[in-house]
Amino acid sequence: MSKGCWKFDEEDKGGSYKSESYLPQAVYIDLDEEDTEEDKLCKEYSSWDQTPDILLEEIFSYLSIRERYYASLVCRAWYRAFKLQNVWSTFTLEDTTLTRGKFNYYSGWQYVLDHIRTSTCLNKVGRNFRTLVFEPMLNFYNLYEFMNMISWYAERQGSDNTSVAGVGTYIRRLKFTFPCNMANRDDPDRIRVFGTGGKLLEALKRLMRNLQNLKCLELIDLMLESNEALHLMDDICMNCTQTLSKLILINTTRYYCPLLHVGVFVNLNVLVISPQNLHEDVIELIGYTKLRHLHILQNRYSPKDTTIRLPKRSSWIKMKANNPYLKVHFEIESYKATDILLPINLGRNPIDLLEHSVIPCHSIVLDNPNTQVSEIICIFISESKTSKRLHPTNVPQVSPSMVFHGTFFESTIRVYAFKGMIRDKISTATILEIVSTAKCLRCLYVRRNVVLKRFDRAWSETLDRSSEYYRWIKVNSRSYENTEREVSRILGYRWHMLSEKEFKAQILTLHI
């Protein structure tokens, strides 16, 4: 039988109460009997405290700061793992990171940055930061104060008793995302775009000036004015001309403003930029760099009320002559069907195929759940001699009649020249037509759940094919096994239709 006792919570040691209305709180506490030596020898304990450091670092890296602190209280080994280098290699700042509650008579409780807690964090583990990520935050005061604090540590570098050396020195990646749609954050259909600037922009520029060993810089949705954007990367150009290998500038400005700074980084490998920041001079400058992948990206906040066109043909020709290995990728991220414009206004204005056929287009990614791949986009890709892929990601299922329409189908077939990923409904006959028409096709990914076992006479009669060809498709399209066998024979490897789990596991790789 276990022992126990009652514990009374009294206000003073003597047991007297300051108020007659006060009643002491009592709680019953169980006291387990002490284990004998024999019981201690028979008990089995877990070996989590003996987990190797390389595994502890991986586990702790998935936890939030609060969860890491609680985990460090488990045992001495986990307390030591709390301060390991790889645990803090990526530091993400959010609205409630390193904050404390403060009551405001007008707004109630608010989270404000705790400077003591922040300084303790930077002193203990700040030198382990390799990646610094600023998620979209609505508390600009916390964001402004944290950027100034880490800049102050980077400038001091342990020159006094209040700072330590190494903070900011080893940061290789900086990602800053501004919440430009803060007014209607919960309603994606109502977009009101605001830009950064003022003291917040000054703090960001000061931080970038003190990070002198950056290899990757990501600035997303800043929406600056043209006069502010012209001097945004002056300090980065001075410090990271040789080291920067990846640069992401998405919607740096809201309106048209060429950014010539991107041509300064001679060892740049990947550049992601919005169409409103491109110009003929920019294209010519990157031709003299080691750039291999140019991503022209348009998201849902990109300007759509003005006409933005790609640079002229002559600039692309000069760029290809100086940098023949560069590949161009077009990416569109949106939620509305009307937002599929591309930087050349596909769908609104007629495309000058002769003007843009020299672009070394390697892939086009359409991330829009409410639209279909239009025929004019397919024609644009098919006319480009260097085009390799079309990736319609995150698109909905549509009716077969829309997918197998003759003219649309002919254009689509010409697109899948290297790698195809088909998410929509498709028939077995269409699969056979794709692999038999696209001679350079190497990989084809198809969802088995949306494949229809049938021979489509509607579109087949519009194409000029021999009777033997139609007979071959008709026979092999009536069973999944025959379709997989014929596709495997043409592609030269064991091909099969993917399950939903296998299809979702496919990784979209553009740089191949």
Side-chain angles (χ1 to χ4, degrees):
M1 183 176 180
S2 61
K3 300 179 181 180
C5 66
W6 287 92
K7 176 67 176 177
F8 293 91
D9 182 17
E10 300 177 354
E11 283 195 350
D12 55 0
K13 296 181 180 179
S16 61
Y17 307 116
K18 297 180 181 180
S19 174
E20 296 180 357
S21 61
Y22 176 81
L23 295 177
Q25 301 293 329
V27 61
Y28 184 81
I29 301 177
D30 289 326
L31 300 178
D32 295 332
E33 294 182 357
E34 294 184 0
D35 296 331
T36 62
E37 294 297 332
E38 184 179 354
D39 294 335
K40 291 181 179 179
L41 293 176
C42 294
K43 277 190 174 181
E44 295 183 2
Y45 298 93
S46 64
S47 302
W48 282 99
D49 59 326
Q50 302 175 13
T51 306
D53 290 348
I54 188 172
L55 295 180
L56 284 177
E57 286 181 330
E58 185 70 18
I59 294 173
F60 272 67
S61 63
Y62 289 102
L63 304 179
S64 63
I65 296 179
R66 181 184 295 273
E67 293 169 343
R68 292 174 191 173
Y69 170 72
Y70 290 146
S72 67
L73 302 178
V74 172
C75 59
R76 292 183 179 180
W78 286 30
Y79 177 76
R80 181 179 52 83
F82 177 77
K83 299 180 181 180
L84 292 177
Q85 176 178 331
N86 291 340
V87 173
W88 298 95
S89 60
T90 300
F91 185 85
T92 303
L93 185 71
E94 297 177 341
D95 280 319
T96 58
T97 305
L98 300 175
T99 59
R100 60 181 176 86
K102 182 179 180 181
F103 184 78
N104 187 296
Y105 285 101
Y106 300 98
S107 304
W109 286 98
Q110 294 180 333
Y111 291 100
V112 297
L113 188 70
D114 191 335
H115 294 82
I116 297 178
R117 188 178 298 175
T118 304
S119 61
T120 303
C121 175
L122 295 178
N123 286 329
K124 298 295 183 181
V125 297
R127 63 174 65 90
N128 297 333
F129 294 168
R130 299 294 184 270
T131 300
L132 193 57
V133 179
F134 295 98
E135 294 294 340
M137 297 175 55
L138 298 181
N139 196 327
F140 293 161
Y141 173 78
N142 293 350
L143 178 60
Y144 173 78
E145 288 293 316
F146 182 84
M147 287 194 295
N148 281 335
M149 286 190 66
I150 197 170
S151 297
W152 184 83
Y153 271 83
E155 294 166 356
R156 295 279 178 168
Q157 291 297 326
S159 60
D160 51 20
N161 296 329
T162 59
S163 62
V164 295
V167 177
T169 305
Y170 306 105
I171 294 180
R172 299 293 183 264
R173 175 174 175 246
L174 173 64
K175 179 181 179 181
F176 181 88
T177 305
F178 183 74
C180 61
N181 191 30
M182 67 187 78
N184 300 310
R185 197 175 186 181
D186 299 330
D187 189 0
D189 294 332
R190 299 176 57 191
I191 296 178
R192 293 181 59 190
V193 176
F194 296 88
T196 184
K199 294 294 184 180
L200 192 61
L201 180 60
E202 292 179 5
L204 176 61
K205 295 172 65 175
R206 179 188 177 187
L207 178 61
M208 293 191 298
R209 181 169 61 251
N210 289 287
L211 305 181
Q212 301 183 5
N213 297 309
L214 283 178
K215 292 185 177 180
C216 177
L217 176 62
E218 304 179 31
L219 302 177
I220 303 173
D221 294 334
L222 295 184
M223 297 294 180
L224 299 175
E225 298 293 336
S226 298
N227 56 343
E228 295 175 331
L230 292 177
H231 304 283
L232 173 65
M233 303 184 62
D234 290 348
D235 297 323
I236 294 294
C237 292
M238 295 177 59
N239 299 331
C240 306
T241 303
Q242 302 288 337
T243 61
L244 203 66
S245 61
K246 184 176 182 179
L247 179 60
I248 298 179
L249 300 174
I250 301 176
N251 293 333
T252 305
T253 60
R254 186 173 182 179
Y255 301 106
Y256 177 75
C257 178
L259 297 179
L260 301 178
H261 296 85
V262 299
V264 177
F265 308 102
V266 293
N267 294 320
L268 197 64
N269 184 52
V270 178
L271 173 62
V272 182
I273 192 170
S274 297
Q276 65 265 28
N277 301 129
L278 285 177
H279 187 262
E280 284 80 7
D281 296 337
V282 177
I283 299 300
E284 292 184 21
L285 283 175
I286 63 178
Y288 296 98
T289 64
K290 298 180 180 180
L291 188 68
R292 289 295 176 265
H293 301 279
L294 172 62
H295 296 255
I296 303 178
L297 188 145
Q298 171 190 316
N299 64 9
R300 57 175 175 166
Y301 302 127
S302 300
K304 305 173 185 64
D305 54 347
T306 57
T307 301
I308 299 177
R309 292 185 174 272
L310 286 177
K312 296 181 180 179
R313 177 188 178 91
S314 57
S315 61
W316 293 102
I317 295 176
K318 293 180 181 179
M319 183 271 295
K320 289 179 62 177
N322 297 321
N323 190 352
Y325 301 104
L326 188 142
K327 301 175 182 178
V328 179
H329 311 268
F330 293 102
E331 299 183 41
I332 299 177
E333 302 173 0
S334 184
Y335 293 94
K336 296 181 179 180
T338 56
D339 290 347
I340 297 297
L341 303 179
L342 279 182
I344 48 177
N345 286 341
L346 292 182
R348 286 191 175 184
N349 299 327
I351 305 175
D352 190 351
L353 297 178
L354 179 62
E355 179 73 15
H356 300 107
S357 59
V358 297
I359 298 178
C361 179
H362 188 71
S363 63
I364 289 184
V365 179
L366 306 179
D367 188 359
N368 190 305
N370 300 315
T371 191
Q372 302 175 38
V373 182
S374 63
E375 177 185 348
I376 195 169
I377 296 179
C378 296
I379 296 176
F380 169 72
I381 306 172
S382 61
E383 292 296 332
S384 180
K385 298 179 181 179
T386 57
S387 176
K388 299 295 182 183
R389 302 180 186 85
L390 171 65
H391 298 282
T393 63
N394 196 24
V395 294
Q397 299 181 5
V398 294
S399 61
S401 60
M402 300 180 70
V403 176
F404 308 141
H405 182 66
T407 307
F408 176 81
F409 174 75
E410 287 182 297
S411 302
T412 307
I413 289 298
R414 300 169 65 185
V415 175
Y416 295 106
F418 180 78
K419 180 178 180 181
M421 298 183 68
I422 303 177
R423 184 186 180 93
D424 296 340
K425 291 182 180 179
I426 189 173
S427 68
T428 53
T430 306
I431 296 176
L432 294 173
E433 176 68 16
I434 289 176
V435 296
S436 61
T437 305
K439 301 298 182 181
C440 298
L441 184 67
R442 299 181 185 178
C443 303
L444 180 64
Y445 304 99
V446 179
R447 298 164 56 198
R448 185 180 184 89
N449 290 346
V450 297
V451 175
L452 306 177
K453 185 171 56 177
R454 71 180 191 180
F455 175 63
D456 303 287
R457 296 296 302 274
W459 61 262
S460 61
E461 293 176 354
T462 62
L463 304 178
D464 186 13
R465 297 290 191 270
S466 62
S467 57
E468 293 79 7
Y469 180 81
Y470 286 131
R471 191 179 303 108
W472 171 74
I473 291 184
K474 184 177 181 179
V475 171
N476 294 290
S477 62
R478 291 182 175 178
S479 68
Y480 296 125
E481 293 76 13
N482 292 342
T483 301
E484 292 180 346
R485 185 188 68 249
E486 292 300 315
V487 174
S488 300
R489 181 182 60 81
I490 297 175
L491 296 182
Y493 67 93
R494 177 79 177 213
W495 182 87
H496 69 282
M497 305 174 192
L498 303 179
S499 63
E500 292 296 322
K501 184 177 180 180
E502 292 175 333
F503 189 84
K504 291 180 180 179
Q506 300 300 320
I507 299 176
L508 183 63
T509 304
L510 301 179
H511 299 169
I512 296 179

